[in-house]
């Protein structure tokens, strides 16, 4: 359940990032959703380990972890988008 929640939050953040950037290409939208999901997973694992002391996601997610997941997901989408634009030049 925790993994599904992290993937849902990350997917929503990636989708919202595509809306904000006014992206119409389906490939870019799917890429942002996937990047948001991976950022949410990484942030969720790191935050649950550092904040809750749990080494896996089975023990549950705290409010602090859930509040950091959208931030980490958005940062991952911004970083990947920035790197893609720098590589295109």
């Amino acid at each position: 359940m925790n993994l599904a929640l992290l993937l849902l939050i990350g997917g929503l953040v990636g989708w919202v990032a595509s809306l904000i950037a006014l992206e119409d290409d389906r490939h870019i939208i799917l890429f942002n959703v996937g990047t948001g999901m991976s950022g949410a997973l990484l942030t969720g694992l790191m935050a649950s380990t550092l904040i809750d002391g749990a080494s896996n996601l089975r023990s549950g997610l705290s409010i602090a972890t859930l509040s950091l997941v959208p931030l980490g997901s958005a940062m991952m989408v911004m970083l990947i988008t920035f790197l893609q634009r720098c590589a295109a030049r």
Side-chain angles (χ1 to χ4, degrees):
M1 181 68 184
N2 296 331
L3 181 65
L5 183 62
L6 289 177
L7 290 175
L8 178 70
I9 292 171
L12 286 174
V13 169
W15 178 65
V16 168
S18 295
L19 290 177
I20 291 172
L22 300 174
E23 297 292 342
D24 291 335
D25 189 14
R26 288 182 191 245
H27 294 93
I28 295 175
I29 294 171
L30 289 176
F31 185 76
N32 283 345
V33 169
T35 304
M37 287 179 172
S38 63
L41 283 176
L42 287 173
T43 306
L45 287 172
M46 287 190 298
S48 66
T49 302
L50 294 174
I51 295 172
D52 304 332
S55 61
N56 58 21
L57 295 174
R58 293 183 192 168
S59 61
L61 296 172
S62 68
I63 299 297
T65 301
L66 287 176
S67 64
L68 288 176
V69 166
L71 179 65
S73 181
M75 288 174 56
M76 181 76 134
V77 170
M78 288 189 311
L79 176 69
I80 296 298
T81 304
F82 174 74
L83 291 176
Q84 282 180 336
R85 289 185 182 168
C86 285
R89 289 189 210 180

